[in-house]
Coordinates of all heavy atoms in Angstrom, one line a residue:
M1 N 0.9 -1.2 0.0 CA 0.0 0.0 0.0 C 0.9 1.2 0.0 O 1.8 1.4 0.8 CB -0.9 0.0 1.2 CG -1.9 -1.1 1.3 SD -3.3 -0.9 0.3 CE -4.3 0.1 1.4
D2 N 0.6 2.2 -0.9 CA 1.4 3.4 -1.0 C 0.4 4.6 -0.9 O 0.0 5.2 -2.0 CB 2.1 3.4 -2.3 CG 3.0 4.6 -2.5 OD1 3.3 5.3 -1.4 OD2 3.6 4.9 -3.6
I3 N -0.1 4.8 0.2 CA -1.1 5.9 0.5 C -0.4 7.1 1.2 O 0.2 7.0 2.2 CB -2.2 5.5 1.4 CG1 -2.9 4.2 0.7 CG2 -3.2 6.6 1.7 CD1 -4.0 3.6 1.6
K4 N -0.5 8.2 0.4 CA 0.1 9.5 0.9 C -1.0 10.4 1.5 O -2.2 10.4 0.9 CB 0.8 10.2 -0.2 CG 1.9 9.5 -1.0 CD 3.2 9.6 -0.1 CE 4.3 9.0 -0.9 NZ 4.4 7.5 -1.0
T5 N -0.7 11.1 2.5 CA -1.7 11.9 3.2 C -1.2 13.4 3.4 O 0.0 13.5 3.8 CB -2.1 11.4 4.6 OG1 -2.7 10.1 4.4 CG2 -3.1 12.2 5.3
W6 N -2.0 14.4 3.0 CA -1.7 15.7 3.3 C -2.6 16.3 4.3 O -3.8 16.2 4.0 CB -1.7 16.5 1.9 CG -0.6 16.1 1.0 CD1 0.5 16.6 0.7 CD2 -0.7 14.8 0.1 NE1 1.2 15.9 -0.3 CE2 0.5 14.9 -0.8 CE3 -1.7 13.9 -0.2 CZ2 0.7 13.9 -1.7 CZ3 -1.5 12.9 -1.2 CH2 -0.3 12.9 -1.8
D7 N -2.2 17.0 5.2 CA -3.0 17.8 6.1 C -2.9 19.2 5.8 O -1.8 19.9 5.9 CB -2.5 17.6 7.5 CG -2.9 16.1 8.1 OD1 -4.0 15.7 7.9 OD2 -2.0 15.5 8.6
G8 N -4.1 19.8 5.4 CA -4.2 21.2 5.2 C -4.8 21.9 6.4 O -4.9 21.3 7.5
D9 N -5.0 23.2 6.4 CA -5.6 24.0 7.5 C -7.0 23.5 7.8 O -7.4 23.4 9.0 CB -5.7 25.4 7.2 CG -4.2 26.0 7.1 OD1 -3.3 25.5 7.7 OD2 -4.1 27.2 6.4
K10 N -7.7 23.1 6.7 CA -9.2 22.7 6.9 C -9.4 21.2 6.7 O -10.4 20.7 7.2 CB -10.1 23.6 6.0 CG -10.1 25.1 6.4 CD -10.9 25.8 5.3 CE -10.4 25.6 3.9 NZ -11.1 26.4 2.9
V11 N -8.7 20.6 5.7 CA -9.0 19.4 5.2 C -7.8 18.4 5.1 O -6.7 19.0 5.2 CB -9.7 19.5 3.8 CG1 -10.9 20.3 3.8 CG2 -8.7 19.9 2.8
T12 N -8.1 17.2 5.1 CA -7.1 16.1 4.9 C -7.4 15.4 3.6 O -8.5 15.0 3.5 CB -7.0 15.2 6.1 OG1 -6.7 16.0 7.3 CG2 -6.0 14.1 5.9
I13 N -6.4 15.2 2.8 CA -6.6 14.5 1.5 C -5.6 13.4 1.5 O -4.4 13.6 1.8 CB -6.4 15.4 0.3 CG1 -7.4 16.5 0.2 CG2 -6.4 14.5 -1.0 CD1 -7.4 17.5 -0.8
S14 N -6.1 12.1 1.2 CA -5.3 11.0 1.0 C -5.3 10.5 -0.3 O -6.5 10.3 -0.9 CB -5.5 9.8 2.0 OG -5.3 10.3 3.4
I15 N -4.3 10.1 -1.0 CA -4.3 9.5 -2.3 C -3.5 8.1 -2.3 O -2.4 8.1 -1.9 CB -3.7 10.5 -3.4 CG1 -4.4 11.8 -3.3 CG2 -3.7 9.8 -4.8 CD1 -3.9 12.8 -4.3
D16 N -4.2 7.2 -2.9 CA -3.6 5.8 -3.0 C -2.8 5.7 -4.3 O -3.5 5.7 -5.3 CB -4.8 4.8 -2.9 CG -4.2 3.3 -2.8 OD1 -3.0 3.2 -3.3 OD2 -4.9 2.4 -2.4
Y17 N -1.5 5.8 -4.1 CA -0.7 5.8 -5.3 C -0.6 4.5 -6.0 O -0.1 4.3 -7.1 CB 0.7 6.3 -5.0 CG 0.8 7.8 -4.9 CD1 1.9 8.5 -4.5 CD2 -0.2 8.6 -5.3 CE1 2.1 9.9 -4.4 CE2 -0.2 10.0 -5.3 CZ 0.9 10.5 -4.8 OH 1.1 12.0 -4.7
D18 N -1.1 3.4 -5.4 CA -1.2 2.1 -6.0 C -2.4 2.2 -7.0 O -2.4 1.5 -8.0 CB -1.5 1.0 -5.1 CG -0.2 0.7 -4.2 OD1 0.9 0.9 -4.8 OD2 -0.3 0.2 -3.1
K19 N -3.4 3.0 -6.7 CA -4.6 3.1 -7.6 C -4.5 4.4 -8.6 O -4.9 4.2 -9.7 CB -5.8 3.4 -6.7 CG -6.2 2.2 -5.9 CD -7.5 2.5 -5.0 CE -7.9 1.3 -4.2 NZ -9.0 1.7 -3.3
C20 N -3.8 5.4 -8.2 CA -3.7 6.6 -9.1 C -3.0 6.1 -10.4 O -1.9 5.7 -10.3 CB -3.1 7.7 -8.4 SG -2.8 9.2 -9.5
N21 N -3.6 6.5 -11.6 CA -3.0 6.2 -12.8 C -2.5 7.3 -13.6 O -2.2 7.3 -14.7 CB -3.9 5.4 -13.7 CG -5.3 6.1 -14.0 OD1 -5.4 7.3 -13.8 ND2 -6.2 5.4 -14.6
G22 N -2.7 8.5 -12.9 CA -2.1 9.8 -13.4 C -3.0 10.3 -14.7 O -2.4 11.0 -15.4
N23 N -4.2 10.0 -14.7 CA -5.1 10.4 -15.8 C -5.4 11.9 -15.8 O -5.8 12.4 -16.7 CB -6.2 9.6 -16.0 CG -7.4 9.9 -15.0 OD1 -7.0 10.5 -13.9 ND2 -8.6 9.5 -15.3
G24 N -5.2 12.5 -14.6 CA -5.4 14.0 -14.6 C -6.8 14.4 -14.3 O -7.1 15.6 -14.4
A25 N -7.8 13.5 -14.1 CA -9.2 13.9 -14.0 C -9.3 14.9 -12.8 O -10.0 15.9 -12.9 CB -10.1 12.7 -13.8
C26 N -8.7 14.6 -11.7 CA -8.8 15.5 -10.6 C -8.2 16.8 -10.8 O -8.8 17.9 -10.4 CB -8.1 14.9 -9.3 SG -6.4 14.4 -9.6
V27 N -7.1 16.9 -11.5 CA -6.5 18.1 -11.9 C -7.4 19.0 -12.8 O -7.5 20.1 -12.5 CB -5.2 17.9 -12.7 CG1 -4.5 19.2 -13.2 CG2 -4.1 17.1 -11.9
E28 N -8.1 18.4 -13.6 CA -9.0 19.0 -14.6 C -10.3 19.5 -13.9 O -10.8 20.5 -14.2 CB -9.4 18.1 -15.8 CG -8.2 17.8 -16.6 CD -7.6 19.0 -17.4 OE1 -8.4 19.9 -17.7 OE2 -6.3 19.1 -17.4
I29 N -10.8 18.7 -13.0 CA -12.2 18.9 -12.4 C -12.1 19.8 -11.3 O -13.1 20.5 -11.0 CB -12.8 17.6 -12.1 CG1 -14.4 17.7 -12.0 CG2 -12.3 17.0 -10.7 CD1 -15.0 17.5 -13.4
C30 N -11.0 19.9 -10.5 CA -11.0 20.7 -9.3 C -11.1 22.2 -9.6 O -10.4 22.7 -10.3 CB -9.7 20.4 -8.5 SG -9.6 21.5 -7.1
P31 N -12.2 22.8 -9.1 CA -12.4 24.2 -9.4 C -11.5 25.2 -8.6 O -11.4 26.3 -9.0 CB -13.9 24.4 -8.9 CG -14.1 23.5 -7.8 CD -13.3 22.3 -8.2
A32 N -10.7 24.7 -7.7 CA -9.9 25.5 -7.0 C -8.4 25.2 -7.4 O -7.4 25.7 -6.7 CB -10.0 25.2 -5.5
S33 N -8.1 24.4 -8.4 CA -6.9 24.0 -8.9 C -5.9 23.6 -7.7 O -4.8 23.9 -7.6 CB -6.1 25.2 -9.5 OG -6.9 25.7 -10.6
V34 N -6.4 22.7 -6.9 CA -5.7 22.1 -5.8 C -4.6 21.1 -6.3 O -3.5 21.1 -5.7 CB -6.7 21.4 -4.9 CG1 -5.9 20.4 -3.8 CG2 -7.5 22.4 -4.2
Y35 N -4.9 20.4 -7.4 CA -4.0 19.3 -7.8 C -3.0 19.6 -8.9 O -3.4 20.4 -9.8 CB -4.8 18.0 -8.2 CG -5.7 17.4 -7.1 CD1 -7.1 17.8 -7.0 CD2 -5.2 16.6 -6.1 CE1 -7.9 17.2 -6.0 CE2 -5.9 16.1 -5.2 CZ -7.3 16.4 -5.1 OH -8.1 15.8 -4.1
E36 N -1.9 18.9 -8.9 CA -1.1 18.8 -10.0 C -0.5 17.5 -10.2 O -0.3 16.8 -9.1 CB 0.0 20.0 -10.0 CG 1.1 19.7 -9.0 CD 2.2 20.9 -9.1 OE1 1.8 22.0 -9.4 OE2 3.4 20.5 -8.9
L37 N 0.0 17.1 -11.3 CA 0.6 15.8 -11.5 C 2.1 16.0 -11.3 O 2.7 16.9 -11.8 CB 0.3 15.2 -12.9 CG -1.1 14.9 -13.2 CD1 -1.2 14.3 -14.6 CD2 -1.6 13.8 -12.2
Q38 N 2.6 15.1 -10.5 CA 4.1 15.0 -10.4 C 4.6 13.5 -10.5 O 4.0 12.7 -9.8 CB 4.5 15.5 -8.8 CG 4.2 16.9 -8.7 CD 4.6 17.4 -7.3 OE1 5.2 16.7 -6.6 NE2 4.3 18.7 -7.0
N39 N 5.4 13.2 -11.5 CA 5.8 11.9 -11.8 C 4.6 11.0 -12.0 O 4.5 9.9 -11.6 CB 6.6 11.3 -10.6 CG 8.0 12.1 -10.5 OD1 8.6 12.5 -11.4 ND2 8.3 12.4 -9.2
N40 N 3.5 11.6 -12.7 CA 2.4 10.9 -13.1 C 1.5 10.5 -11.9 O 0.7 9.5 -12.1 CB 2.7 9.6 -13.9 CG 1.8 9.4 -15.0 OD1 1.2 10.3 -15.6 ND2 1.4 8.1 -15.3
K41 N 1.6 11.1 -10.8 CA 0.7 10.9 -9.7 C 0.1 12.3 -9.3 O 0.9 13.3 -9.3 CB 1.5 10.3 -8.5 CG 2.1 9.0 -8.7 CD 1.0 7.9 -9.0 CE 1.7 6.6 -9.2 NZ 0.8 5.6 -9.6
S42 N -1.1 12.3 -8.8 CA -1.6 13.5 -8.3 C -1.2 13.9 -6.9 O -1.0 13.1 -6.1 CB -3.2 13.3 -8.3 OG -3.9 14.5 -7.8
V43 N -0.9 15.2 -6.8 CA -0.4 15.8 -5.5 C -1.3 17.1 -5.3 O -1.4 17.9 -6.1 CB 1.0 16.2 -5.6 CG1 1.5 16.8 -4.3 CG2 1.9 15.0 -6.1
P44 N -1.9 17.1 -4.1 CA -2.8 18.4 -3.8 C -1.9 19.5 -3.3 O -1.9 19.8 -2.0 CB -3.7 17.7 -2.7 CG -2.9 16.7 -2.0 CD -2.0 16.1 -3.1
V45 N -1.2 20.1 -4.2 CA -0.2 21.1 -3.8 C -0.7 22.4 -3.2 O -0.1 23.0 -2.5 CB 0.7 21.4 -5.0 CG1 1.7 20.3 -5.4 CG2 -0.1 21.9 -6.2
H46 N -2.0 22.6 -3.6 CA -2.7 23.8 -3.1 C -3.9 23.4 -2.2 O -5.0 23.9 -2.5 CB -3.2 24.7 -4.2 CG -2.0 25.2 -5.1 ND1 -1.9 25.1 -6.4 CD2 -0.8 25.9 -4.7 CE1 -0.8 25.6 -6.8 NE2 -0.1 26.1 -5.8
I47 N -3.7 22.5 -1.3 CA -4.7 21.9 -0.5 C -5.5 23.0 0.3 O -6.7 22.9 0.5 CB -4.1 20.8 0.4 CG1 -5.2 20.1 1.2 CG2 -3.1 21.5 1.5 CD1 -4.8 19.0 1.9
D48 N -4.9 24.2 0.7 CA -5.6 25.1 1.4 C -6.5 26.0 0.6 O -7.3 26.8 1.1 CB -4.7 26.0 2.2 CG -4.0 25.3 3.3 OD1 -4.7 24.3 3.9 OD2 -2.8 25.6 3.7
E49 N -6.5 25.8 -0.7 CA -7.5 26.5 -1.6 C -8.8 25.6 -1.7 O -9.7 26.0 -2.4 CB -6.9 26.6 -3.0 CG -5.6 27.5 -3.0 CD -5.8 28.9 -2.5 OE1 -6.8 29.5 -2.8 OE2 -4.9 29.3 -1.7
C50 N -8.8 24.4 -1.2 CA -9.9 23.5 -1.3 C -11.3 24.1 -0.8 O -11.3 24.8 0.3 CB -9.6 22.2 -0.6 SG -11.0 21.0 -0.6
I51 N -12.3 24.0 -1.6 CA -13.6 24.5 -1.3 C -14.5 23.4 -0.8 O -15.7 23.6 -0.7 CB -14.2 25.4 -2.3 CG1 -14.4 24.6 -3.6 CG2 -13.4 26.6 -2.5 CD1 -15.2 25.4 -4.7
E52 N -14.0 22.2 -0.7 CA -14.8 21.0 -0.2 C -16.0 20.6 -1.0 O -17.0 20.3 -0.5 CB -15.2 21.3 1.3 CG -13.9 21.5 2.2 CD -14.3 22.1 3.5 OE1 -14.8 21.3 4.3 OE2 -14.0 23.3 3.8
C53 N -15.8 20.7 -2.4 CA -16.9 20.4 -3.3 C -17.1 18.9 -3.6 O -18.0 18.5 -4.0 CB -16.7 21.2 -4.6 SG -15.4 20.5 -5.6
C54 N -16.0 18.1 -3.3 CA -15.9 16.8 -3.5 C -15.9 16.2 -4.9 O -16.0 15.0 -5.2 CB -17.1 16.0 -2.7 SG -17.1 16.3 -1.0
A55 N -15.7 17.1 -5.9 CA -15.7 16.7 -7.3 C -14.4 15.8 -7.5 O -14.5 14.8 -8.4 CB -15.5 17.9 -8.2
C56 N -13.4 16.0 -6.9 CA -12.2 15.1 -7.0 C -12.5 13.7 -6.7 O -12.2 12.8 -7.5 CB -11.0 15.6 -6.3 SG -11.3 15.9 -4.5
V57 N -13.1 13.5 -5.6 CA -13.5 12.2 -5.0 C -14.5 11.5 -6.0 O -14.3 10.3 -6.4 CB -14.0 12.3 -3.6 CG1 -14.6 10.9 -3.2 CG2 -13.0 12.8 -2.7
E58 N -15.4 12.2 -6.4 CA -16.5 11.7 -7.3 C -15.9 11.4 -8.7 O -16.7 10.5 -9.3 CB -17.7 12.7 -7.2 CG -18.4 12.8 -5.9 CD -19.3 14.0 -5.8 OE1 -19.4 14.7 -6.8 OE2 -19.9 14.2 -4.8
N59 N -15.0 12.1 -9.1 CA -14.6 11.9 -10.5 C -13.3 11.1 -10.8 O -12.9 11.0 -11.9 CB -14.5 13.3 -11.2 CG -15.9 13.8 -11.5 OD1 -16.5 13.6 -12.4 ND2 -16.4 14.7 -10.5
C60 N -12.7 10.7 -9.7 CA -11.5 9.8 -9.9 C -12.0 8.4 -10.3 O -12.7 7.7 -9.5 CB -10.7 9.7 -8.6 SG -9.3 8.6 -8.7
P61 N -11.7 8.0 -11.4 CA -12.1 6.7 -12.0 C -11.5 5.5 -11.1 O -12.0 4.4 -11.3 CB -11.6 6.6 -13.5 CG -10.4 7.6 -13.5 CD -10.7 8.7 -12.5
Q62 N -10.4 5.9 -10.5 CA -9.7 4.8 -9.7 C -10.1 4.8 -8.3 O -9.7 3.9 -7.5 CB -8.2 5.0 -9.8 CG -7.6 4.9 -11.2 CD -7.7 3.6 -11.7 OE1 -8.5 3.2 -12.7 NE2 -6.9 2.7 -11.1
Q63 N -11.0 5.7 -7.8 CA -11.4 5.8 -6.4 C -10.2 5.9 -5.5 O -10.1 5.2 -4.5 CB -12.3 4.6 -6.1 CG -13.7 4.7 -6.9 CD -14.6 3.7 -6.5 OE1 -14.3 2.4 -6.4 NE2 -15.9 4.0 -6.2
A64 N -9.2 6.7 -6.0 CA -7.9 6.8 -5.4 C -7.9 7.8 -4.3 O -7.0 7.8 -3.4 CB -6.8 7.0 -6.3
I65 N -8.9 8.7 -4.3 CA -8.9 9.9 -3.4 C -9.7 9.7 -2.2 O -10.9 9.5 -2.3 CB -9.2 11.2 -4.1 CG1 -8.3 11.4 -5.3 CG2 -9.1 12.4 -3.2 CD1 -8.7 12.5 -6.3
K66 N -9.3 9.9 -0.9 CA -10.1 10.1 0.2 C -10.0 11.5 0.7 O -8.8 12.1 0.7 CB -9.7 9.1 1.2 CG -10.1 7.6 1.0 CD -10.0 6.8 2.1 CE -10.3 5.3 1.9 NZ -10.9 5.0 0.7
H67 N -11.1 12.2 1.1 CA -11.1 13.6 1.5 C -11.9 13.7 2.8 O -12.9 13.1 3.0 CB -11.8 14.4 0.3 CG -11.6 15.8 0.5 ND1 -12.2 16.6 1.5 CD2 -11.0 16.8 -0.3 CE1 -12.0 17.8 1.4 NE2 -11.3 18.0 0.3
S68 N -11.4 14.4 3.7 CA -12.0 14.4 5.1 C -13.4 15.1 5.1 O -14.2 14.9 6.0 CB -11.1 15.3 6.0 OG -10.8 16.6 5.4
S69 N -13.8 15.8 4.0 CA -15.1 16.5 3.9 C -16.0 15.8 3.0 O -17.2 16.2 2.8 CB -15.0 17.9 3.4 OG -14.1 18.7 4.3
C70 N -15.6 14.7 2.3 CA -16.5 14.0 1.3 C -16.8 12.5 1.6 O -16.1 12.0 2.5 CB -15.7 14.1 0.0 SG -15.2 15.7 -0.5
Ligands
SF4_1 S1 -8.3 11.4 -10.9 FE1 -7.6 9.7 -9.6 S2 -6.4 8.4 -10.9 FE2 -6.6 10.4 -11.9 S3 -4.8 11.5 -11.5 FE3 -6.4 12.1 -10.0 S4 -6.1 10.7 -8.2 FE4 -5.0 9.8 -9.9
SF4_2 S1 -13.0 18.8 -2.8 FE1 -13.3 20.1 -4.6 S2 -12.1 21.8 -4.3 FE2 -11.4 20.3 -2.8 S3 -9.6 19.3 -3.8 FE3 -11.5 18.1 -4.3 S4 -12.2 19.0 -6.3 FE4 -10.8 20.5 -5.4

Protein backbone atom coordinates (compact mmCIF):
# COMPACT_ATOMS: atom_id res chain seq x y z
CA MET A 1 0.00 0.00 0.00
CA ASP A 2 1.33 3.37 -1.02
CA ILE A 3 -1.07 5.91 0.48
CA LYS A 4 0.09 9.51 0.88
CA THR A 5 -1.71 11.93 3.20
CA TRP A 6 -1.64 15.72 3.25
CA ASP A 7 -3.01 17.77 6.14
CA GLY A 8 -4.20 21.24 5.24
CA ASP A 9 -5.58 23.95 7.47
CA LYS A 10 -9.15 22.72 6.96
CA VAL A 11 -9.05 19.37 5.21
CA THR A 12 -7.07 16.17 4.92
CA ILE A 13 -6.59 14.46 1.56
CA SER A 14 -5.20 10.96 1.04
CA ILE A 15 -4.30 9.50 -2.34
CA ASP A 16 -3.64 5.82 -2.92
CA TYR A 17 -0.70 5.81 -5.31
CA ASP A 18 -1.21 2.13 -6.03
CA LYS A 19 -4.55 3.15 -7.59
CA CYS A 20 -3.73 6.57 -9.11
CA ASN A 21 -3.00 6.15 -12.82
CA GLY A 22 -2.12 9.77 -13.48
CA ASN A 23 -5.02 10.41 -15.86
CA GLY A 24 -5.38 13.94 -14.50
CA ALA A 25 -9.15 13.91 -13.99
CA CYS A 26 -8.79 15.48 -10.54
CA VAL A 27 -6.45 18.15 -11.92
CA GLU A 28 -9.01 19.04 -14.59
CA ILE A 29 -12.16 18.91 -12.45
CA CYS A 30 -11.03 20.69 -9.29
CA PRO A 31 -12.46 24.24 -9.39
CA ALA A 32 -9.79 25.45 -6.98
CA SER A 33 -6.78 24.03 -8.86
CA VAL A 34 -5.69 22.06 -5.83
CA TYR A 35 -3.97 19.25 -7.74
CA GLU A 36 -1.05 18.87 -10.07
CA LEU A 37 0.62 15.81 -11.50
CA GLN A 38 4.13 14.98 -10.33
CA ASN A 39 5.79 11.91 -11.78
CA ASN A 40 2.38 10.84 -13.12
CA LYS A 41 0.73 10.95 -9.70
CA SER A 42 -1.68 13.52 -8.33
CA VAL A 43 -0.46 15.82 -5.56
CA PRO A 44 -2.75 18.32 -3.76
CA VAL A 45 -0.16 21.08 -3.81
CA HIS A 46 -2.72 23.81 -3.08
CA ILE A 47 -4.71 21.95 -0.46
CA ASP A 48 -5.59 25.12 1.42
CA GLU A 49 -7.49 26.43 -1.63
CA CYS A 50 -9.94 23.52 -1.35
CA ILE A 51 -13.62 24.52 -1.24
CA GLU A 52 -14.75 21.02 -0.18
CA CYS A 53 -16.91 20.38 -3.26
CA CYS A 54 -15.93 16.69 -3.48
CA ALA A 55 -15.64 16.72 -7.28
CA CYS A 56 -12.20 15.11 -7.08
CA VAL A 57 -13.45 12.18 -5.04
CA GLU A 58 -16.52 11.72 -7.25
CA ASN A 59 -14.62 11.92 -10.55
CA CYS A 60 -11.54 9.83 -9.86
CA PRO A 61 -12.08 6.70 -11.96
CA GLN A 62 -9.73 4.77 -9.72
CA GLN A 63 -11.40 5.82 -6.46
CA ALA A 64 -7.93 6.74 -5.30
CA ILE A 65 -8.84 9.91 -3.37
CA LYS A 66 -10.09 10.11 0.19
CA HIS A 67 -11.10 13.54 1.50
CA SER A 68 -12.00 14.47 5.05
CA SER A 69 -15.07 16.45 3.92
CA CYS A 70 -16.44 14.02 1.33
S1 LIG B 1 -8.32 11.37 -10.91
FE1 LIG B 1 -7.60 9.72 -9.59
S2 LIG B 1 -6.40 8.41 -10.94
FE2 LIG B 1 -6.64 10.36 -11.97
S3 LIG B 1 -4.80 11.55 -11.41
FE3 LIG B 1 -6.42 12.05 -9.94
S4 LIG B 1 -6.08 10.63 -8.21
FE4 LIG B 1 -4.98 9.83 -9.96
S1 LIG C 1 -13.00 18.79 -2.76
FE1 LIG C 1 -13.30 20.10 -4.60
S2 LIG C 1 -12.03 21.89 -4.24
FE2 LIG C 1 -11.35 20.31 -2.80
S3 LIG C 1 -9.66 19.27 -3.79
FE3 LIG C 1 -11.53 18.14 -4.31
S4 LIG C 1 -12.27 19.01 -6.25
FE4 LIG C 1 -10.79 20.43 -5.37
